[in-house]
Amino acid sequence: MLGPAGVDACYAGRRAVWARWVGVATVFLLASGIYNLMIILGQSKAAETKLPPTYHVLLLVKFLLALFVMFVMAILAGKTDAADRFRGQMHKWLNMAWLAALAIVVLAAIMRTFH
């Protein structure tokens, strides 16, 4: 595994590009998620059906997992001392973010069955 110096050497010069993509992806994901939520809630009101409380709990879990993934990607692209500490364990944090992203996809599939 790479230490902090090895990670910096490996990703030298690419951090700015990575940070830009993280920002663009974060804005896109938040905007599309809010839009989809508005559409789903609008459809349930138009059909005069209520989404079950389970849907809202899963939505909250999915939202928190998404924030975690966005945080990990942002901190790995950062320039602070905390970012350096996170990059020292980049493998661990990327694996955790990957698992959270997979959980988000599974939750989305489960939530799709509610409406």
Side-chain angles (χ1 to χ4, degrees), residues 1 68 72 86 88-98:
M1 293 212 189
F68 172 75
V72 169
F86 272 81
Q89 298 178 350
M90 184 180 281
H91 184 70
K92 174 181 111 173
W93 289 108
L94 287 176
N95 281 337
M96 289 174 65
W98 176 245

Side-chain angles (χ1 to χ4, degrees), residues 25-70:
T26 299
V27 168
F28 174 74
L29 289 172
L30 287 173
S32 65
I34 290 169
Y35 174 77
N36 284 329
L37 179 61
M38 289 173 26
I39 294 296
I40 290 168
L41 292 177
Q43 288 174 347
S44 70
K45 283 183 183 178
E48 295 184 11
T49 59
K50 276 184 91 170
L51 292 170
T54 308
Y55 181 88
H56 298 288
V57 171
L58 292 176
L59 177 66
L60 176 63
V61 171
K62 183 179 159 189
F63 181 74
L64 292 174
L65 285 171
L67 287 179
F68 172 75
V69 171
M70 291 176 206

